[in-house]
Amino acid sequence: MIKEAVYHRPKNEYAYAIDEKSVHIKLKTKKNDVQKVTLIFGDPYDFDSNQNSWISNSTDMWFNGSDDLHDYWIAKVTTKHRRLRYGFLLENPIQSIYYTERGFYKKAPSDASYYFCFPYINKVDIFSPPDWVSSTVWYQIFPERFANGNPSINPKNSLPWNSRRPSQKSYYGGDFQGIMDKLDYIASLGVTGLYLTPIFKAHSNHKYDTIDYMEIDPQFGDKDTFKKLVQKCHAKGIKVMLDAVFNHSGLYFPPFQDVIKNGDNSPYKDWFHLHNLPLKTDFLANYDTFGYVPTMPKLNTENKEVKAYLLNVAKYWIEEFDIDGWRLDVANEVDHAFWRDFRKVVKEAKPDAYILGEVWHDAMPWLLGDQFDAVMNYPLTTAITEYFTTNNINKAEFMNSVNKILNMYPETINSVQFNLLGSHDTARILTLSNSNKEKVKLQMLMQFTMPGTPCIYYGDEISMEGGEDPDCRRCMIWEEKKQDKEMLGFVKKIISLRKQFKVFRTNNNFAFLSPKDRNNIISFTKSIADQELLVVLNNSEFTEKFKLPNKYNQQKVLDLIME
Amino acid sequence: MIKEAVYHRPKNEYAYAIDEKSVHIKLKTKKNDVQKVTLIFGDPYDFDSNQNSWISNSTDMWFNGSDDLHDYWIAKVTTKHRRLRYGFLLENPIQSIYYTERGFYKKAPSDASYYFCFPYINKVDIFSPPDWVSSTVWYQIFPERFANGNPSINPKNSLPWNSRRPSQKSYYGGDFQGIMDKLDYIASLGVTGLYLTPIFKAHSNHKYDTIDYMEIDPQFGDKDTFKKLVQKCHAKGIKVMLDAVFNHSGLYFPPFQDVIKNGDNSPYKDWFHLHNLPLKTDFLANYDTFGYVPTMPKLNTENKEVKAYLLNVAKYWIEEFDIDGWRLDVANEVDHAFWRDFRKVVKEAKPDAYILGEVWHDAMPWLLGDQFDAVMNYPLTTAITEYFTTNNINKAEFMNSVNKILNMYPETINSVQFNLLGSHDTARILTLSNSNKEKVKLQMLMQFTMPGTPCIYYGDEISMEGGEDPDCRRCMIWEEKKQDKEMLGFVKKIISLRKQFKVFRTNNNFAFLSPKDRNNIISFTKSIADQELLVVLNNSEFTEKFKLPNKYNQQKVLDLIME
């Protein structure tokens, strides 16, 4: 047994509370190295004085998949007094060994202090995302490009709708009235959440360079229009999430302009990270910026005034407009202390608001219950894209990646992860798939059968094309004859299936089938209660046969897609 | 190379900021499996468009010791813009391989997004313990047993000082006046910090069952006496740390008594975790308790009133009495949310207050900068005891343990870890050492040459004996002829050496020497600037020869202990 490869550590995805009495315990071992893992657990204070030994119980751990190097194991334990010590018995045909916090032992240590410790389940520390998120299907809208409902507020030099491919600087006049006009269409898809990229007053068409966090950009409408939009969405059972761009402001944010103008005398000079004065706003920017973008000066979120200002923004749009969530732009470059207070403010204003961070890397440090509810699940996006479109990875690598992703965070977080195939930041899924619509469908099926909360980027449902930004931000196609109705039907179908069958949304008993088959068929099952979902995705160019597993003989089997 | 054993994850002891520009990066590999590790690092946004590749630098990683299974590596990196992506090149004679967040590669990936991410060094998130702690030497006092300076406030039935061995219920009348009377003695040791076990009004002699967190226990004196004590300590350059028992109250805490009396009608019923009513305070306690102790009902620290009350306690004793630190009893069973707010309140009241948690297990989840400054370093206590006294572990195992402990937390935390050989909770070090004073000295030398902040349990400096609690809480011996003056001299000497030479207190370039020698000599070196400390500890029954390493030839060598 390769002891060096065995890994466990409490209070992250390896040990976390799922309710006031229970915890999930996970373990990582070298792939194919251990045959059976038993969890040894008990209350730290249960002591048998006759035996001079800690009193413990045991339970089998469930094999939770493997990636390229490791196997994962999981068990759920219910505690008596919300306290837990635990260890592992690892077995293969050659060896049996106990793994504890202090190391490996041939015999189970009798002293509870040797074992791993989950000291106490305090309710307030339990990660508990809003109930509604895991069953929500999102629709992402880039407001400038979705629909133009009020041409009277078009920006200057707006181009006729869809008259040409967008450049970094083009405007077409998309607005809130346009979204409202199309709300029946949106609702007809079955989606129950709307994610809008930034809507506050800004300089660019993408609005990630805010001028005023307390104002709607006039090209989209005014506060009344926005309030009406939220109300109309809510009336249709659709939640609304806004984009919080708190890492940086725009160049034309008045406090930054004040520093440009007044330098050392500006009351705002500590609102940013200045290197020296006077400010140079060209490519030699002498202040911290997002990336190397001088028009996006990084905000000093540690400054008390900045923090108070932004936290008030967070609260204002919830309290006054009843929005349901915040998506946090460049979330990992803002300080943790800020996000901790942000969570308090947001959850106090609306206890079931959804807090979604944009973090492209391992995000566990933000997902400990004190900051975000979830992050944008880019690792899943990457795995799906690399397998189904670019062929960067093969079937085995894809399955490894999916297992790795499913074991990356607590299951409580997996259930609300934001699963996307593309966004305003990436080429469109159809274009990435070389216009192969069948490939797009496979990817959507993968997306919709994973735990989490899936999001459709506006227009993907009607087979819109688009390369990298800004091409992926083309105007929505509203001419019915140019819309792909077949894809539209497919998207509606999988949305409706996901809403109808809970098994689509959970991760219970997830397991890939036939991983060693040479064909390019991905198949996996999940199950809850009396439902089992079998997903079969043929990622080859050819028709392939798939033999239904024997266990389904004499079972009622429903073909949800083909029928 | 055993890739399965390679481990890294950012934002814990494997990657942490040490100042506004720099981070420490660590890596774990299988023991003796990798010969050289190079850190590849750069700014995520530095892109060479000609090469279509991320621009990175590299630096060698320093071998930072090994435990029984793994080698540890460390490097310090200074960032240009406080942002960092990084990966590792692992080499041995057979293989060279790159390790990134996405996995292992034969060639360095050219895409920065593959690498590990330390997104941004935000100042507020940098763990920064109080400056004074790492150079402090503590003296722990159990106030009931240190000195009786005011017999008029003796508890009823107090026994004459040291007239017999303590039982769970005996009283001897130790008090604040006694401590003040002995302050010259304390200062003469060279200690610069006083840690007092609980002093608030309580029922027992140990005072861990609080009755009133806002009052001094009358057997110790009153608030004026305590204020004077703190002032006198400060005048002598001695800091004062109190014990915060916030996990549970005592049975006679008035709010708990109110629940006993008024049950469902008590306004305090949510201050505790009741299972049902009426309360049974015998061994069948129907409420959460510390361990199974019915006289210690667990406080509901999530309740707003309880939280406000305890946070006010934390603030009150700092603001009114100018104490310098809080040691947190049973710290890991209280919710994280409570400790986060506790830190804010404490650091606001006194920015350089020391927050020390009692956590016997892996405490990383409390040491991320938002909760504690350090924990009681019991793993070090255990390693020292098991090697030098109980012989549970051998030389190799001891060295493994020390390396593991030094690699367990960020170095910034190691430098303020509370290193103790014993306390009111354990048998005395001399008794554990079978009265072998030479063994005690070895252990103290080990303790005093480790990074952290060492603590002497009252009386250990004069060779007091004592078995498990309550025997380890005997009255301090003040009859000079019964005090071990030789041990006292030794303790004074090592305290003074530690204060004189900074190299005692750091962990720079720590390395064990001659680990494979068969003798029972532990030797290691550390160095800063022009000083190198060589520690040689002979843990055998015999005189042993130790050959000074050749590198000291023609160097000035000082024998700090024997001369």
Side-chain angles (χ1 to χ4, degrees):
Chain A
M1 217 175 276
I2 305 293
K3 290 186 285 191
E4 294 85 350
V6 177
Y7 185 82
H8 176 83
R9 187 173 210 180
K11 297 248 173 179
N12 48 38
E13 78 273 30
Y14 286 94
Y16 53 90
I18 44 182
D19 58 42
E20 282 176 71
K21 283 283 186 183
S22 315
V23 295
H24 267 163
I25 304 289
K26 283 189 186 182
L27 184 76
K28 188 166 87 169
T29 59
K30 182 183 181 329
K31 193 168 185 165
N32 298 325
D33 192 37
V34 175
Q35 221 156 44
K36 183 174 186 229
V37 182
T38 310
L39 186 74
I40 320 287
F41 65 96
D43 187 283
Y45 302 102
D46 281 351
F47 189 76
D48 180 336
S49 43
N50 292 326
Q51 304 280 331
N52 195 26
S53 172
W54 178 48
I55 299 170
S56 64
N57 296 301
S58 71
T59 185
D60 286 356
M61 295 191 80
W62 157 267
F63 173 70
N64 208 38
S66 44
D67 60 25
D68 52 335
L69 297 173
H70 295 102
D71 288 338
Y72 297 91
W73 307 82
I74 190 168
K76 179 183 166 179
V77 184
T78 300
T79 64
K80 226 172 20 168
H81 301 294
R82 306 204 259 168
R83 307 178 293 220
L84 191 68
R85 295 293 179 284
Y86 59 96
F88 307 89
L89 167 60
L90 286 72
E91 293 174 277
N92 67 18
I94 299 159
Q95 217 177 358
S96 286
I97 197 160
Y98 291 87
Y99 173 50
T100 69
E101 187 180 76
R102 289 224 195 143
F104 292 88
Y105 298 91
K106 284 187 185 160
K107 247 190 78 191
S110 60
D111 180 349
S113 74
Y114 278 57
Y115 290 80
F116 288 104
C117 172
F118 201 97
Y120 198 86
I121 305 174
N122 288 291
K123 190 177 170 188
V124 68
D125 294 331
I126 304 172
F127 174 77
S128 44
D131 274 343
W132 55 271
V133 177
S134 65
S135 51
T136 295
V137 178
W138 296 92
Y139 191 68
Q140 180 189 347
I141 286 179
F142 187 86
E144 221 283 312
R145 305 292 154 73
F146 188 65
N148 186 344
N150 182 1
S152 76
I153 54 172
N154 279 9
K156 263 187 291 181
N157 305 321
S158 284
L159 300 164
W161 199 254
N162 240 336
S163 56
R164 67 169 81 154
R165 297 274 178 94
S167 75
Q168 291 293 3
K169 304 214 161 166
S170 40
Y171 289 89
Y172 299 86
D175 55 28
F176 291 157
Q177 188 57 54
I179 300 175
M180 275 190 280
D181 294 347
K182 302 299 184 183
L183 221 47
D184 284 339
Y185 168 81
I186 293 169
S188 76
L189 299 173
V191 301
T192 50
L194 212 54
Y195 156 41
L196 303 176
T197 57
I199 62 167
F200 305 141
K201 193 176 174 199
H203 183 68
S204 63
N205 55 27
H206 54 65
K207 315 295 178 199
Y208 279 96
D209 51 350
T210 317
I211 294 172
D212 191 337
Y213 292 87
M214 297 297 276
E215 292 298 333
I216 298 287
D217 193 285
Q219 86 155 94
F220 296 152
D222 57 18
K223 287 181 175 175
D224 285 341
T225 338
F226 181 61
K227 194 170 255 173
K228 221 193 290 172
L229 170 61
V230 177
Q231 283 165 351
K232 279 179 183 285
C233 284
H234 286 176
K236 288 186 183 291
I238 295 171
K239 305 273 185 182
V240 178
M241 176 163 66
L242 293 187
D243 215 317
V245 191
F246 290 176
N247 176 66
H248 52 266
S249 75
L251 179 66
Y252 298 104
F253 185 48
F256 192 69
Q257 287 294 318
D258 194 86
V259 184
I260 294 178
K261 197 176 153 202
N262 297 311
D264 225 12
N265 296 318
S266 169
Y268 300 104
K269 69 180 176 175
D270 193 40
W271 280 44
F272 307 91
H273 300 277
L274 312 182
H275 306 164
N276 46 56
L277 287 166
L279 287 187
K280 288 171 229 151
T281 58
D282 59 11
F283 67 98
L284 288 169
N286 51 355
Y287 47 91
D288 287 6
T289 54
F290 167 67
Y292 288 114
V293 185
T295 55
M296 293 181 169
K298 184 168 171 69
L299 284 160
N300 179 5
T301 42
E302 299 185 22
N303 175 287
K304 278 189 183 172
E305 292 168 21
V306 175
K307 189 163 174 176
Y309 172 76
L310 293 175
L311 294 183
N312 184 50
V313 169
K315 197 166 88 168
Y316 174 74
W317 294 96
I318 294 175
E319 287 185 347
E320 295 296 317
F321 300 88
D322 202 18
I323 65 160
D324 307 288
W326 281 111
R327 179 264 189 193
L328 316 173
D329 191 54
V330 200
N332 59 353
E333 298 192 14
V334 176
D335 59 281
H336 293 282
F338 179 87
W339 293 130
R340 286 194 191 101
D341 287 333
F342 175 88
R343 184 178 184 88
K344 280 188 190 169
V345 165
V346 165
K347 297 283 179 175
E348 204 171 286
K350 193 168 211 171
D352 72 343
Y354 178 46
I355 300 175
L356 171 66
E358 184 204 20
V359 181
W360 293 64
H361 288 79
D362 177 13
M364 200 66 237
W366 293 268
L367 295 172
L368 297 167
D370 58 332
Q371 295 168 67
F372 309 158
D373 290 323
V375 292
M376 300 182 80
N377 199 349
Y378 284 111
L380 183 66
T381 316
T382 304
I384 293 177
T385 307
E386 293 193 339
Y387 176 58
F388 289 100
T389 73
T390 62
N391 298 317
N392 275 5
I393 59 174
N394 63 28
K395 171 177 168 173
E397 290 167 328
F398 175 69
M399 290 189 292
N400 287 338
S401 287
V402 170
N403 279 329
K404 191 172 193 168
I405 290 159
L406 290 175
N407 282 288
M408 204 168 151
Y409 300 126
E411 304 233 329
T412 42
I413 285 165
N414 286 343
S415 70
V416 291
Q417 279 284 85
F418 193 83
N419 295 340
L420 67 169
L421 296 178
S423 73
H424 63 291
D425 278 335
T426 61
R428 279 189 182 272
I429 189 67
L430 180 60
T431 304
L432 278 176
S433 306
N434 288 321
S435 307
N436 182 334
K437 293 179 182 177
E438 298 308 308
K439 291 272 184 181
V440 171
K441 288 183 188 169
L442 288 180
Q443 293 171 79
M444 287 181 168
L445 268 173
M446 191 69 210
Q447 177 191 21
F448 273 76
T449 53
M450 285 286 106
T453 185
C455 181
I456 293 166
Y457 183 53
Y458 80 96
D460 280 355
E461 76 278 13
I462 50 161
S463 294
M464 276 175 62
E465 297 261 11
E468 301 255 307
D469 157 22
D471 195 38
C472 55
R473 301 169 181 181
R474 293 184 200 171
C475 294
M476 176 71 180
I477 294 169
W478 291 112
E479 293 162 82
E480 295 230 4
K481 65 177 191 301
K482 290 190 179 167
Q483 293 183 332
D484 180 345
K485 298 289 183 182
E486 203 264 330
M487 182 65 83
L488 186 63
F490 176 81
V491 169
K492 286 181 181 178
K493 182 167 201 169
I494 58 174
I495 291 176
S496 125
L497 285 172
R498 187 174 161 100
K499 286 159 79 175
Q500 187 183 351
F501 296 105
K502 193 181 171 201
V503 68
F504 273 67
R505 310 192 298 265
T506 73
N507 200 33
N508 274 34
N509 303 319
F510 176 92
F512 282 111
L513 305 180
S514 336
K516 290 188 174 153
D517 287 1
R518 293 237 184 128
N519 61 33
N520 238 342
I521 291 180
I522 296 290
S523 59
F524 57 87
T525 55
K526 312 194 281 182
S527 63
I528 47 163
D530 60 343
Q531 292 178 2
E532 176 154 305
L533 177 69
L534 164 67
V535 178
V536 185
L537 306 171
N538 177 7
N539 190 32
S540 75
E541 306 297 309
F542 315 103
T543 303
E544 296 268 11
K545 283 209 169 156
F546 179 83
K547 190 177 171 319
L548 217 53
N550 291 334
K551 67 172 172 176
Y552 298 123
N553 293 348
Q554 317 201 347
Q555 297 281 323
K556 189 178 164 198
V557 177
L558 271 175
D559 183 338
L560 298 173
I561 294 294
M562 298 316 215
E563 266 169 16
Chain B
M1 219 175 275
I2 305 293
K3 290 187 283 190
E4 293 85 350
V6 177
Y7 184 82
H8 176 83
R9 189 173 208 181
K11 297 246 173 181
N12 48 39
E13 78 274 28
Y14 285 95
Y16 53 91
I18 44 181
D19 59 42
E20 281 178 71
K21 283 282 186 183
S22 315
V23 295
H24 266 165
I25 304 289
K26 284 189 184 181
L27 183 76
K28 188 168 86 169
T29 59
K30 183 181 180 328
K31 193 168 184 164
N32 298 326
D33 191 38
V34 176
Q35 222 156 42
K36 184 177 184 220
V37 182
T38 309
L39 186 75
I40 319 286
F41 66 95
D43 187 284
Y45 302 102
D46 280 350
F47 190 76
D48 180 337
S49 43
N50 292 326
Q51 303 280 331
N52 196 25
S53 173
W54 179 47
I55 299 170
S56 64
N57 296 303
S58 70
T59 186
D60 286 355
M61 295 190 79
W62 157 267
F63 173 68
N64 208 38
S66 45
D67 61 23
D68 53 334
L69 298 173
H70 295 102
D71 289 338
Y72 297 91
W73 308 81
I74 190 168
K76 179 183 166 179
V77 184
T78 300
T79 64
K80 227 175 14 172
H81 301 295
R82 306 204 258 167
R83 308 177 293 220
L84 191 68
R85 295 294 181 282
Y86 59 95
F88 307 89
L89 167 60
L90 287 71
E91 293 174 277
N92 67 18
I94 300 158
Q95 218 177 355
S96 286
I97 197 161
Y98 291 88
Y99 173 50
T100 70
E101 186 180 78
R102 289 225 195 143
F104 293 88
Y105 297 91
K106 284 186 185 159
K107 247 190 78 190
S110 59
D111 180 348
S113 74
Y114 277 57
Y115 290 81
F116 287 103
C117 172
F118 201 97
Y120 197 87
I121 304 174
N122 288 291
K123 191 177 169 189
V124 68
D125 294 332
I126 304 172
F127 174 76
S128 44
D131 275 343
W132 55 272
V133 177
S134 65
S135 50
T136 295
V137 178
W138 296 92
Y139 191 69
Q140 179 187 348
I141 286 179
F142 187 86
E144 220 282 312
R145 304 292 154 73
F146 187 65
N148 186 344
N150 183 0
S152 76
I153 54 172
N154 278 10
K156 263 188 290 182
N157 305 321
S158 286
L159 299 165
W161 198 254
N162 239 336
S163 55
R164 67 171 78 153
R165 297 276 177 91
S167 75
Q168 292 292 2
K169 303 214 162 164
S170 38
Y171 289 89
Y172 299 86
D175 55 28
F176 292 156
Q177 188 56 53
I179 300 175
M180 274 189 281
D181 294 346
K182 302 298 183 183
L183 221 48
D184 284 337
Y185 169 81
I186 293 169
S188 76
L189 298 174
V191 301
T192 50
L194 212 55
Y195 155 42
L196 303 175
T197 57
I199 62 167
F200 305 142
K201 194 177 173 199
H203 183 67
S204 63
N205 55 27
H206 55 64
K207 315 296 177 198
Y208 280 96
D209 52 348
T210 316
I211 294 172
D212 191 337
Y213 291 87
M214 296 299 275
E215 292 297 334
I216 298 287
D217 193 284
Q219 86 156 91
F220 295 151
D222 57 19
K223 286 182 176 175
D224 285 339
T225 338
F226 181 62
K227 194 171 254 172
K228 221 193 290 173
L229 171 61
V230 177
Q231 283 165 352
K232 279 178 184 287
C233 285
H234 285 176
K236 287 184 183 293
I238 295 172
K239 304 275 184 181
V240 178
M241 176 163 65
L242 293 186
D243 214 319
V245 191
F246 290 176
N247 176 65
H248 52 266
S249 74
L251 180 66
Y252 298 104
F253 184 49
F256 192 69
Q257 287 295 317
D258 195 87
V259 184
I260 293 177
K261 194 175 154 201
N262 298 311
D264 225 11
N265 297 319
S266 168
Y268 299 104
K269 67 179 176 175
D270 194 38
W271 279 44
F272 307 91
H273 300 278
L274 313 181
H275 305 162
N276 46 56
L277 286 165
L279 286 188
K280 288 173 229 151
T281 57
D282 59 10
F283 67 98
L284 289 169
N286 52 355
Y287 47 91
D288 286 6
T289 55
F290 167 66
Y292 287 116
V293 185
T295 55
M296 292 180 170
K298 185 171 169 69
L299 284 161
N300 180 5
T301 41
E302 300 185 20
N303 175 285
K304 278 189 186 173
E305 291 168 22
V306 175
K307 189 165 175 175
Y309 172 74
L310 293 175
L311 293 183
N312 184 49
V313 168
K315 198 167 86 169
Y316 174 73
W317 294 95
I318 295 176
E319 287 185 346
E320 296 296 317
F321 299 88
D322 203 19
I323 66 160
D324 306 288
W326 280 111
R327 179 264 189 191
L328 317 172
D329 191 55
V330 200
N332 59 354
E333 297 192 16
V334 176
D335 57 282
H336 293 282
F338 180 86
W339 292 131
R340 287 193 191 100
D341 286 333
F342 175 88
R343 184 180 186 87
K344 279 188 190 169
V345 165
V346 165
K347 297 282 180 175
E348 206 171 285
K350 192 167 208 170
D352 72 344
Y354 179 45
I355 301 174
L356 170 65
E358 185 205 19
V359 180
W360 294 63
H361 288 78
D362 177 14
M364 200 66 236
W366 292 267
L367 295 172
L368 297 167
D370 58 332
Q371 296 167 67
F372 309 158
D373 290 323
V375 293
M376 299 181 82
N377 199 349
Y378 284 111
L380 183 66
T381 317
T382 304
I384 293 177
T385 307
E386 293 192 339
Y387 176 56
F388 290 100
T389 73
T390 62
N391 298 318
N392 274 4
I393 60 174
N394 63 28
K395 171 177 169 174
E397 289 167 328
F398 176 68
M399 290 188 293
N400 287 337
S401 288
V402 170
N403 278 329
K404 193 172 192 169
I405 290 161
L406 290 175
N407 282 288
M408 204 168 151
Y409 299 126
E411 304 233 330
T412 41
I413 285 165
N414 286 344
S415 70
V416 290
Q417 279 284 84
F418 193 82
N419 294 340
L420 67 168
L421 295 179
S423 73
H424 64 291
D425 277 337
T426 62
R428 278 189 184 270
I429 188 67
L430 180 60
T431 304
L432 277 176
S433 306
N434 287 318
S435 307
N436 183 332
K437 293 178 182 177
E438 298 308 308
K439 290 273 183 181
V440 171
K441 288 183 189 170
L442 288 179
Q443 293 171 79
M444 286 182 169
L445 268 173
M446 191 68 210
Q447 177 191 20
F448 273 75
T449 52
M450 284 286 106
T453 186
C455 182
I456 293 166
Y457 183 52
Y458 80 97
D460 280 356
E461 76 278 13
I462 50 160
S463 295
M464 276 177 62
E465 296 261 11
E468 300 255 304
D469 157 24
D471 195 38
C472 56
R473 301 169 181 181
R474 294 185 200 170
C475 294
M476 176 71 180
I477 295 171
W478 292 112
E479 292 162 83
E480 295 231 4
K481 64 178 192 296
K482 290 192 180 165
Q483 292 182 334
D484 180 345
K485 297 290 181 180
E486 203 266 329
M487 182 64 84
L488 186 62
F490 176 81
V491 169
K492 286 182 181 177
K493 182 167 201 170
I494 57 175
I495 291 176
S496 128
L497 286 172
R498 188 176 160 98
K499 285 160 81 175
Q500 187 183 352
F501 296 105
K502 195 182 170 199
V503 68
F504 272 67
R505 311 192 298 264
T506 73
N507 199 35
N508 273 36
N509 304 319
F510 177 92
F512 282 111
L513 305 181
S514 336
K516 289 186 176 154
D517 287 359
R518 291 237 183 127
N519 61 33
N520 237 342
I521 292 180
I522 296 289
S523 58
F524 56 87
T525 54
K526 312 195 280 180
S527 63
I528 47 164
D530 59 344
Q531 292 178 1
E532 177 154 303
L533 177 68
L534 164 66
V535 179
V536 185
L537 305 172
N538 177 8
N539 190 32
S540 75
E541 305 297 310
F542 315 104
T543 302
E544 296 268 10
K545 283 209 168 154
F546 179 82
K547 191 178 171 319
L548 217 55
N550 291 334
K551 67 171 170 174
Y552 297 123
N553 294 349
Q554 318 201 347
Q555 297 279 324
K556 188 178 162 199
V557 177
L558 270 176
D559 184 338
L560 297 174
I561 294 294
M562 298 315 213
E563 267 167 17

